[in-house]
Amino acid sequence: MNLNLSKTLDQAKVFYTTDLIVFNAKVQHSQCSSSAETFSYWHITKANLKSRNFYSFIPKAIENDKRVWSMRRRTSIDTYYYVSYFLRISSELRIIGHDYGYALLLQRPPVANISGVSFATKGQGNITLNGSRSYDPHPEQGRSLTFTWFCRRSYEVFPKNDSHPVDAPNVNANLSGGCYGYGPGRLSGRENLLNVEVNRMEGGQTYVFELLVSNGEESSRVVHRLEVASFVIR
């Protein structure tokens, strides 16, 4: 028997609130069990994400003898589920098959999206990177999205401290690299559209833009690469 679920909480199979959550018990009978009269049932308990204490169970699961169990509209967000399935011989009540595992239900984070050109040339002027196609999968909750843009060169890494934007000198005047010569890090733009000043950038470099989209509780990131060529005089 196999439920295709992890046996540890830390590796629990993740489902999201927008998913149809289905557990499927795959049973392979032996010669003996295939001829015996059997009955089966699910045993599903849940635990809080922080405490990890399993304190309640879903009573209807025990009443269900089908090998497929759907949990949509019966679930709690940010919750662990301990899922087990039993197969018994009716006359003996003896367990002849059993498997278990853990699942985790989370609220799906915002979806981050960047559209825009992947190649630009110094001298052509500004370009725009567009993050307006980012969205919250739960619009019914009325949460607004915030947008934070970052930029680095392909060989750089982002610093841990992003308190100062790097598209102006500020305290970064002694640095180099990044988009505009003040090091890699956060840009000052906070809208879903980012104006990129190509003429201020160094030609012959590939720049990595990252967009962080947050709804105040969850967040997600997406990356866009821009190759900037030097201006060629003919």
Side-chain angles (χ1 to χ4, degrees), residues 62-126:
I62 299 177
E63 302 169 8
N64 190 308
D65 62 354
K66 296 180 180 179
R67 296 181 185 175
V68 177
W69 172 251
S70 172
M71 290 180 60
R72 198 167 200 177
R73 300 187 183 90
R74 299 186 179 94
T75 53
S76 302
I77 299 173
D78 295 340
T79 301
Y80 283 108
Y81 289 88
Y82 172 84
V83 182
S84 57
Y85 183 79
F86 295 87
L87 181 66
R88 293 176 179 265
I89 294 180
S90 299
S91 59
E92 305 174 19
L93 298 182
R94 178 165 57 92
I95 296 175
I96 59 173
H98 169 248
D99 195 21
Y100 73 95
Y102 294 95
L104 173 61
L105 178 65
L106 298 175
Q107 187 158 300
R108 186 174 290 279
V111 177
N113 180 280
I114 299 176
S115 59
V117 298
S118 298
F119 182 86
T121 304
K122 284 179 66 69
Q124 76 174 64
N126 297 347

Side-chain angles (χ1 to χ4, degrees), residues 18-100:
T18 52
D19 298 333
L20 175 62
I21 304 170
V22 176
F23 301 124
N24 188 357
K26 296 180 180 179
V27 180
Q28 184 175 0
H29 287 279
S30 65
Q31 276 189 329
C32 296
S33 65
S34 60
S35 60
E37 184 180 351
T38 62
F39 73 98
S40 59
Y41 60 91
W42 294 87
H43 186 206
I44 303 175
T45 57
K46 59 184 180 179
N48 182 274
L49 184 62
K50 295 181 179 179
S51 68
R52 297 189 174 191
N53 293 323
F54 288 85
Y55 59 92
S56 62
F57 65 94
I58 301 176
K60 289 187 178 180
I62 299 177
E63 302 169 8
N64 190 308
D65 62 354
K66 296 180 180 179
R67 296 181 185 175
V68 177
W69 172 251
S70 172
M71 290 180 60
R72 198 167 200 177
R73 300 187 183 90
R74 299 186 179 94
T75 53
S76 302
I77 299 173
D78 295 340
T79 301
Y80 283 108
Y81 289 88
Y82 172 84
V83 182
S84 57
Y85 183 79
F86 295 87
L87 181 66
R88 293 176 179 265
I89 294 180
S90 299
S91 59
E92 305 174 19
L93 298 182
R94 178 165 57 92
I95 296 175
I96 59 173
H98 169 248
D99 195 21
Y100 73 95

